[in-house]
Amino acid sequence: MSAPKWKKQLCIALILIIVGSILGMALQTNFGSVEVKDLYILTDDQQYMHALAFVPKAASKDNKVPCVITSHGWLNSGEVQDAASIELSRRGIMVIAMDAYSHGLSSNVINATRSESGTMYGMGMIDLVEYVNSSVINYVDTSRIGVMGHSMGGNNSWETIKYFGGLYNKAIEAAKAPDSDGGEEITDEELAFAKAQNPVYAALPTGSKPSVDDDGRWELIHCNTGCLYGALEEGGYSTSTGNGRIVGDAVEGVRMINSGLPESEWVNSVEEGKFYGNKEDGTLRVIYQPKITHPLIHFDPVSTADVVTFFTYVFDIKTDLAATNQLFMLKEIANLIAMIGLFMMLWPLLEMLLTTNAFKDLKAQGEIKMLPALTPASRKKFIIGIVLGGVVSFATACLTIPTYRAIFADCVAGKPGVLFNASTMNCVMTWTFFNAVWGFFWFFFNYKKDKAAGTRTEEMIGWKITWKEFWKSLALAATIIGIFYAIVWFCKWMFNTDFRFWTPAVKTFQAGKLIEYFAYWPVFFAFYLANSLSVNGAMRVEGMSEKKNLFICGIANIIGCTLMWAIQYGALITRGTVVWQKEWIDVLVIAFCVWQLFLAPFILRKFFKSTGKNWVGAMVVSSVYVFMGIMHTCITSSVF
């Protein structure tokens, strides 16, 4: 007798997880020439930082290597900096990919607003520079410390070099005082002391443009500085050119380049990719402008080549590897393979648990009857439902942006609270709430009429449930999630990899994140319960193949966010600016939901057919998606 289908799928899923994780480990370690280690350090005010350290094995106290500290963006955590981490470490540079404060596995900055934490700490980058510069790591060349980061991480880089540059300026001013050691003349010792206050040798902010303010900003910067800013940046509307261009005669680029040049050599126009100034005295300046959007910069081979070119040049790295010789995209594919395996496991885990005494009474008894095949009249209603749902989804997405900013104004401003402290999750939750209300209304409005006509029954829709079944369903869902995350923890421990597609990822989390999970989960559960009712109790009809039906359900789920995405990026490509300008991050957050919404019907259908009800599937899907969300954004909690 052949093994049940779920056993075969479980084996395939485990193979994909293991193969993807091993391949990911091999690629991120450059097949053994780099070690990837978790780094935790204690910092001021009882905070702590987590980072991934990419250490070339050739590094030693007799062969010191440069070190680059890199920071992710607002919606991410340290693993998303794989491109820089892998490619620079392959070339003999140690890389520390930090989880910024209030992100990932680092602590939240208690009693500090988001703006304060960014200014005071560079979201942790300043602390890490001081840690590396303390010579606690004896294989790091502290004369060659670099910083970089994307978006928020780019801002962290600017804040960090301004902070240390300010310490340098303060020391120089003190050295000029009449009562200083050399009087008004700066002695060699005083100059050496001032330089020691500024340990950063090179900086490359990405996705964060230079300032145009004449406020002495450039007087604070005393290190080799580049800027990588996409020519199709969503935030480009705020530049002096009104689009993403900061080269040519753009004020931002001209002022940045001239900040490193004597006045006699100032330029009126900037060439993309050209080195200006002198790296030996820290006045080197360069601007890179790849034709890429903001979220794609750190997954773009051209942008990554620019990062490699900048740091290998300023650090005088001798390498046979061309800047275009890159492995990081293969590692992203490995992450995706493992992630596919992880999600594939959900259904066989369900089937396995349904064979146990604890949960066997939740298993569906026989085939669940489908809705009658579509007639001309019902087909029309079927299509109208899909189109109307898409229109509502798009309209509520537009409504969500001002609504969540008003309801969660404190969180948007970065003020810590007890619950609902993740600004981007508040955006998605508000949109989810609107669509949950619509989903329940539309489903039961039509179900009531169909039930009266005798075309739908309670057994078809999988809605009715006793309290005993509800609590047992909740226990079953919790068990599945527990096993699911046990695998995630094991792969983190064994291979030090995560499960990721682009930026959304399934990864380990702190216990404190559970507070945020329980705050957000009810609304997401309601939405996916309504979605499961629609997918299984309204759109599952006779005469339509399962694959075609599920594809239609997936497309129906993503109409609204896809339309918003198409409008936003269609405008960016055709006219150089986006439609939603100040809210472009909110649109990006909603756009990231596309693949999750498309995948949901496939999982919900499997769970429905196994249990005959919609509840367990909605519990599991909503739990996984909420955990993914809270691990990839800033949480300004005052509790943890």
Side-chain angles (χ1 to χ4, degrees):
M1 183 182 294
S2 62
K5 185 177 180 181
W6 67 266
K7 290 185 177 181
K8 295 178 181 178
Q9 185 168 319
L10 183 62
C11 291
I12 294 171
L14 286 171
I15 290 171
L16 290 176
I17 290 170
I18 293 171
V19 169
S21 297
I22 291 175
L23 183 58
M25 178 181 66
L27 290 164
Q28 73 180 5
T29 61
N30 196 32
F31 302 100
S33 68
V34 174
E35 287 191 72
V36 181
K37 306 176 181 180
D38 284 276
L39 173 68
Y40 284 92
I41 66 169
L42 297 176
T43 58
D44 292 341
D45 301 319
Q46 298 190 28
Q47 304 299 306
Y48 58 88
M49 290 289 303
H50 169 262
L52 286 174
F54 290 70
V55 185
K57 284 190 175 180
S60 69
K61 65 179 180 179
D62 299 319
N63 181 36
K64 296 181 184 291
V65 297
C67 180
V68 171
I69 297 165
T70 183
S71 173
H72 54 84
W74 184 247
L75 306 178
N76 310 130
S77 54
E79 291 89 349
V80 180
Q81 289 295 295
D82 266 354
S85 301
I86 292 172
E87 299 309 331
L88 292 179
S89 63
R90 290 179 68 210
R91 291 160 175 86
I93 300 172
M94 178 182 176
V95 180
I96 297 177
M98 58 184 272
D99 281 346
Y101 282 135
S102 301
H103 291 74
L105 298 177
S106 292
S107 65
N108 297 336
V109 180
I110 300 173
N111 298 324
T113 66
R114 185 167 67 230
S115 59
E116 287 172 344
S117 66
T119 302
M120 292 163 57
Y121 310 106
M123 298 296 283
M125 183 175 279
I126 291 171
D127 291 326
L128 280 171
V129 170
E130 291 175 337
Y131 174 79
V132 172
N133 190 52
S134 69
S135 298
V136 68
I137 307 174
N138 68 356
Y139 49 80
V140 169
D141 180 356
T142 55
S143 69
R144 292 187 292 171
I145 295 175
V147 296
M148 66 164 289
H150 178 66
S151 191
M152 178 195 76
N155 292 338
N156 295 342
S157 303
W158 289 119
E159 295 295 340
T160 297
I161 59 178
K162 284 169 57 183
Y163 171 82
F164 288 112
L167 295 181
Y168 170 87
N169 288 349
K170 185 177 180 180
I172 290 294
E173 289 302 312
K176 292 179 180 178
D179 59 348
S180 65
D181 290 346
E184 295 183 1
E185 295 293 324
I186 301 175
T187 67
D188 290 342
E189 291 78 12
E190 288 173 328
L191 181 60
F193 175 78
K195 288 182 177 179
Q197 306 308 300
N198 184 31
V200 180
Y201 182 75
L204 182 65
T206 73
S208 176
K209 65 182 183 297
S211 172
V212 297
D213 297 334
D214 275 326
D215 59 358
R217 174 187 178 94
W218 293 109
E219 296 299 320
L220 293 172
I221 295 178
H222 301 283
C223 68
N224 298 306
T225 307
C227 180
L228 196 158
Y229 196 71
L232 295 174
E233 279 275 348
E234 292 87 336
Y237 70 90
S238 61
T239 66
S240 61
T241 60
N243 52 54
R245 183 175 63 85
I246 59 170
V247 292
D249 60 355
V251 176
E252 294 86 351
V254 170
R255 288 186 179 172
M256 176 180 166
I257 298 303
N258 288 340
S259 72
L261 299 173
E263 188 171 353
S264 60
E265 297 179 17
W266 279 5
V267 300
N268 296 316
S269 182
V270 176
E271 293 182 39
E272 193 270 341
K274 179 180 177 180
F275 291 114
Y276 296 85
N278 186 347
K279 66 181 177 181
E280 278 71 33
D281 61 11
T283 61
L284 180 142
R285 303 287 185 267
V286 61
I287 295 176
Y288 299 104
Q289 288 244 258
K291 291 181 174 60
I292 203 71
T293 63
H294 184 88
L296 288 176
I297 283 180
H298 45 324
F299 298 103
D300 172 42
V302 175
S303 302
T304 303
D306 290 335
V307 171
V308 170
T309 298
F310 176 80
F311 282 109
T312 53
Y313 176 72
V314 296
F315 287 152
D316 292 314
I317 299 295
K318 308 302 180 186
T319 175
D320 294 330
L321 296 176
T324 53
N325 184 324
Q326 299 173 9
L327 293 178
F328 81 94
M329 282 303 297
L330 294 176
K331 201 265 183 173
E332 301 303 311
I333 294 172
N335 285 340
L336 177 58
I337 291 171
M339 191 175 193
I340 291 171
L342 190 65
F343 275 90
M344 277 183 65
M345 284 197 68
L346 289 173
W347 177 72
L349 283 177
L350 170 71
E351 284 291 309
M352 180 181 71
L353 291 170
L354 288 175
T355 64
T356 65
N357 291 331
F359 301 115
K360 64 182 181 181
D361 54 337
L362 293 179
K363 187 172 181 63
Q365 302 302 312
E367 288 289 327
I368 303 123
K369 189 176 180 181
M370 303 172 75
L371 275 69
L374 295 175
T375 63
S378 62
R379 186 183 302 276
K380 182 179 179 181
K381 187 171 71 172
F382 186 87
I383 295 172
I384 289 174
I386 292 174
V387 174
L388 191 56
V391 171
V392 170
S393 179
F394 173 73
T396 53
C398 298
L399 179 63
T400 286
I401 295 173
T403 302
Y404 100 89
R405 287 177 173 269
I407 295 174
F408 303 103
D410 283 349
C411 184
V412 171
K415 297 178 182 178
V418 177
L419 295 175
F420 304 113
N421 294 297
S423 183
T424 55
M425 282 293 285
N426 290 340
C427 174
V428 179
M429 183 179 69
T430 303
W431 184 46
T432 299
F433 173 79
F434 286 143
N435 284 278
V437 172
W438 165 257
F440 280 121
F441 164 76
W442 184 249
F443 178 82
F444 283 107
F445 173 78
N446 288 284
Y447 171 65
K448 185 178 180 180
K449 294 192 297 182
D450 290 348
K451 185 178 180 182
T455 57
R456 269 197 282 183
T457 65
E458 287 185 353
E459 290 73 20
M460 289 179 181
I461 67 172
W463 168 254
K464 191 174 181 180
I465 189 172
T466 66
W467 278 111
K468 180 181 179 180
E469 290 173 327
F470 174 82
W471 292 115
K472 188 167 281 192
S473 296
L474 194 61
L476 174 57
T479 304
I480 293 171
I481 294 299
I483 298 172
F484 182 86
Y485 270 96
I487 294 169
V488 173
W489 249 278
F490 172 79
C491 289
K492 170 64 178 175
W493 169 75
M494 187 72 183
F495 309 111
N496 211 351
T497 59
D498 62 349
F499 299 83
R500 183 163 14 98
F501 171 65
W502 195 4
T503 59
V506 182
K507 56 178 290 182
T508 56
F509 56 86
Q510 304 157 301
K513 301 282 186 180
L514 288 172
I515 290 180
E516 302 300 329
Y517 163 78
F518 286 115
Y520 288 105
W521 179 73
V523 171
F524 284 85
F525 167 64
F527 169 78
Y528 283 105
L529 181 58
N531 191 234
S532 189
L533 282 168
S534 175
V535 167
N536 300 309
M539 300 180 73
R540 183 171 170 264
V541 296
E542 293 179 349
M544 186 182 296
S545 72
E546 183 84 341
K547 290 181 180 179
K548 179 180 178 180
N549 184 258
L550 286 172
F551 180 78
I552 291 173
C553 291
I555 293 298
N557 266 4
I558 66 173
I559 291 174
C561 50
T562 302
L563 183 57
M564 175 172 267
W565 180 88
I567 293 171
Q568 182 82 326
Y569 287 90
L572 180 63
I573 292 171
T574 56
R575 70 184 192 188
T577 57
V578 293
V579 175
W580 289 275
Q581 296 186 341
K582 292 182 179 180
E583 305 85 7
W584 67 268
I585 291 182
D586 297 328
V587 176
L588 190 60
V589 168
I590 291 174
F592 277 152
C593 296
V594 168
W595 77 269
Q596 294 173 322
L597 289 171
F598 182 79
L599 178 63
F602 294 83
I603 302 174
L604 295 172
R605 177 67 58 79
K606 283 280 192 180
F607 274 65
F608 173 75
K609 292 175 73 172
S610 293
T611 64
K613 291 180 170 45
N614 292 289
W615 296 83
V616 179
M619 291 171 180
V620 170
V621 171
S622 57
S623 293
V624 172
Y625 287 175
V626 169
F627 273 124
M628 291 176 67
I630 62 177
M631 282 306 299
H632 280 271
T633 187
C634 182
I635 296 181
T636 55
S637 173
S638 60
V639 179
F640 290 93

